[in-house]
Amino acid sequence: MSQYLLACDEGTSSARSVLFDREGNVAASAQIEIQSTFPKDGWVEQNANAIWDAQRQSISNALDQLGAHASALHAVGITNQRETTIVWDRSTGEPVGPAITWQCRRTADQCAAINGSSDAARIQARTGLKIDPYFSATKLRWILDNSPDLPKRAKDGELAFGTVDSWLIFNLTDGRLHAIDRTNASRTLFMDLREGAWDNELLSYFDIPLEILPTIAPSSGEIGYTSGDVLGVEIPIAGVAGDQQAALVGQGCTTPNSAKLTYGTGAFLLVHTGTEVQVSKSGLLSTTAASLGDSDEFALEGSVFSAGSAIQWLRDNLDILSTAAESEELATSVPDSAGVYLVPAFEGLGAPHWSANARGALVGLSRSADRRHIVRAALESIALQSYDLIAALEEDTGDRIAELRVDGGAAANDFLLQLQADLLDRPVARPVDLESTARGAANLAATASDFWLDAHYEVDRRFEPSMSVTNRKSMLDGWYAAVDSVL
Ligand code: ADP
């Protein structure tokens, strides 16, 4: 009997394969690093073949850990770094060039031109996104424009475009299936968010032939079958979602107004908004949530650009920490930050302040301040920025989130999570399994393939708010004064 469900978790820095048993426990997990290259200022690329090789190798390493053969696999779920754009030859499966990753800013000028035109508002309303180099549309346009024969080959149906989920599906099926899941499609700027379908007007606006696009598939269902030549077994690909949407599922946030926040390099907030698209007044994105039911579900998304990276900065640039984990001990060795605030606007500020030109600041220093106060201020800045994001989101929806579910590397920090609960004045819950992304992909596949029924969300610790109203207000007042000083 097939015993394991395979989650392929293809992230920006590594490809991971996680095997879940029938009780929903992690039985094995293997990870292979992936390199990015930075050929010019603001450009970020990866080798698409290296992405697939790493994923494939991590699958076999995970199976090896259990001494198992692929015949032990029941189904596959996929989750991936979103927006990263790959074009390949349909018949040979060879990429026509590097993968242009989500971080790549090479199309900033094209996006600025669109933003300066009357088309921007219409595109945003249709897609739920902003016009930004982050999303796939201008990356695909750039690839086609930068090689003389590609536009014709695209029209002739010789080329395939895909995000990383499409690329993995194509390879897992040995080229038989060219598909993209709806959450990933919702990040391209080609999809009508409400319809869940490619939008002809947007395609003609970006001059993209329909022939190059993958078929849009649901996030949970029998999307295709792996090829026996590739995995050694034909099993259903039964769940696919972009990483943030998969984390939402992995955190059990599948009903309206449930929310998760991932504290990684940046911090990503997603709140489920049910079957209606909600439009933000504070610059949050509307996006497709991975749907477990029959109808499409949606989410609002916002991000803090510098979260864990503020801690990395203290460690790597200021040299006042030896490890990220040490930040907790230092921060809790003083009763407060002695009026010090760090505004980590290293890359500008996102929602709800929206200032691309703002830069970081350390304010409120007195002669007695030392590295402990600065470290504490850095952790506080993660919670304060996340607080701002959630406050903006709640103003948009008019609903209060009852509890915030958190994950990501910095969610290991108890001080941070307690402060987050204090600022929000509500519980913050950390699950036992911090790998929400892989679990989400596994849940989507498990539901569609009858593997397990329980979502297995288990709380490790729930942080209850305990800060007085006066203290909260004074901390927030100091923060807003510090933010104002950089705007
Ligand atoms: P990503 O997926 O963006 O690479 P991770 O989820 O792996 O990020 O988290 C890594 C980030 O979390 C780093 O920026 C690091 O500084 C931060 N981090 C890791 N552990 C801690 C900790 N105990 N306290 C605070 N920050 C931490």
Side-chain angles (χ1 to χ4, degrees), residues 12-13 102 244 262-268 307-313 315 321 323-328 379 382 407-414 416 434:
T12 308
S13 50
W102 58 274
Q244 298 306 320
T262 302
Y263 299 104
T265 309
F268 289 90
S309 61
I311 304 301
Q312 279 171 293
W313 179 73
R315 190 193 60 193
L321 281 176
T323 63
E326 197 198 357
S327 63
E328 180 164 359
L379 288 172
I382 303 176
D407 53 49
N413 193 306
D414 289 357
L416 170 65
L434 282 176

Side-chain angles (χ1 to χ4, degrees), residues 191-211:
M191 192 181 91
D192 180 320
L193 183 62
R194 290 163 187 81
E195 298 294 324
W198 299 131
D199 184 289
N200 286 329
E201 236 177 272
L202 291 171
L203 292 179
S204 73
Y205 180 83
F206 289 105
D207 192 18
I208 299 297
L210 192 59
E211 288 76 10

Side-chain angles (χ1 to χ4, degrees), residues 450-469:
D450 274 342
F451 192 69
W452 75 70
L453 294 174
D454 183 1
H456 287 276
Y457 176 79
E458 205 186 325
V459 175
D460 161 50
R461 181 161 167 200
R462 187 171 269 111
F463 295 81
E464 298 290 344
S466 64
M467 192 181 253
S468 72
V469 176

Side-chain angles (χ1 to χ4, degrees), residues 28 49 51 145 184 260 265 281 317 337 363 385 447:
N49 282 326
I51 291 176
D145 285 343
N184 277 291
K260 74 90 200 167
T265 309
K281 292 180 287 296
N317 297 48
S337 62
V363 303
Q385 293 180 95
T447 305

